[in-house]
Amino acid sequence: ALCQATVSSAWANLSYSKRKLPETTLYAQDRRHFVSSSLSVIGSYSLSGTTLLTPLPGHATITPQQQKDKDNIVNGYNRLQYLLDNWVEKTTVCKTGQETTFGDKCERTPVVVMEYLGFKSTSDPLFKADAAMLRLKDLVPSDREVDFYDAVDLFAQNAEEASSMAFVSSWGEANPGGGKDRVQLFIERAKKNVIASRDSLKTVMDILDLKP
């Protein structure tokens, strides 16, 4: 308990605004400073003869919220994999009995990406996924903390960029100088971000020993 309180205090001293995702990124130097500061504090208590009774991450008690977060991360990962496996189908919209503005019944659009990344519904597994992953930080082995925070950072960045590309693409043909080639460009950019988001989730899952 003493160790937990001390580490929590060290973490609280970091600027929360720097760790807030996805609006800002979690700076690597802050994470490393937190880890090194925590280890220094733990070492000082060990040298002074204080007994640390904090359980290892693998033996930590999992709260109902943490179990829900773990399930959502796995489900979200599987959904992103499904989206990528069926990319053309899922990013193609066909209007039955109605032609599009340019005379085609089907058109490509990555707008569905926002749904799969949790930007359309509060019930989606990846809704505020960065916050969900941070709630699991107590379950992260000490030697993987930097990798964990890096993965959360990368997920938030790429998810935000993919959502932005999807939104911009919805106006790709209507904007001056736009056209299907511009929409296709946004689709490919969004796909790269989705792949990166999926890979970051997989890293988090590996660290937490979660299976797809």
Side-chain angles (χ1 to χ4, degrees):
L2 178 59
C3 178
Q4 288 179 322
T6 304
V7 172
S8 297
S9 176
W11 181 252
N13 288 332
L14 294 177
S15 172
Y16 178 78
S17 62
K18 289 184 179 180
R19 299 190 301 107
K20 189 176 180 182
L21 297 171
E23 290 84 357
T24 58
T25 58
L26 187 60
Y27 295 100
Q29 60 266 32
D30 283 346
R31 292 192 297 273
R32 294 186 178 93
H33 173 71
F34 165 69
V35 174
S36 61
S37 297
S38 299
L39 292 176
S40 297
V41 172
I42 292 173
S44 65
Y45 277 110
S46 298
L47 291 173
S48 65
T50 302
T51 302
L52 300 176
L53 300 178
T54 304
L56 296 174
H59 301 284
T61 302
I62 299 176
T63 67
Q65 179 62 58
Q66 287 177 322
Q67 184 60 55
K68 180 180 179 181
D69 291 334
K70 291 169 68 173
D71 292 341
N72 281 339
I73 290 173
V74 173
N75 291 335
Y77 170 84
N78 289 333
R79 277 169 55 81
L80 288 186
Q81 186 61 60
Y82 173 79
L83 172 63
L84 290 169
D85 290 341
N86 300 274
W87 184 256
V88 174
E89 175 187 350
K90 291 300 179 180
T91 57
T92 301
V93 177
C94 296
K95 300 182 179 181
T96 305
Q98 178 183 358
E99 293 185 347
T100 66
T101 305
F102 294 89
D104 300 322
K105 290 185 178 180
C106 297
E107 58 185 1
R108 296 292 304 282
T109 172
V111 173
V112 69
V113 169
M114 292 188 287
E115 174 186 342
Y116 279 80
L117 285 171
F119 289 98
K120 300 287 286 185
S121 171
T122 57
S123 62
D124 190 88
L126 293 182
F127 176 71
K128 294 186 177 180
D130 52 330
M133 287 185 278
L134 288 178
R135 284 194 292 267
L136 298 173
K137 64 182 184 294
D138 294 338
L139 307 179
V140 177
S142 59
D143 61 341
R144 299 300 305 277
E145 286 181 336
V146 173
D147 294 335
F148 174 79
Y149 288 118
D150 281 344
V152 175
D153 266 351
L154 289 173
F155 172 82
Q157 293 172 21
N158 283 286
E160 186 69 23
E161 289 178 16
S163 179
S164 297
M165 287 296 102
F167 177 78
V168 171
S169 75
S170 63
W171 301 94
E173 289 190 65
N175 287 335
K180 293 186 182 299
D181 59 330
R182 298 296 295 173
V183 174
Q184 185 65 31
L185 175 63
F186 293 134
I187 289 175
E188 291 307 312
R189 287 183 178 178
K191 184 176 183 179
K192 290 181 180 179
N193 290 130
V194 172
I195 291 174
S197 298
R198 177 207 59 189
D199 292 346
S200 295
L201 283 180
K202 185 62 168 61
T203 298
V204 170
M205 289 169 58
D206 289 342
I207 292 173
L208 297 175
D209 195 26
L210 303 178
K211 307 301 180 183

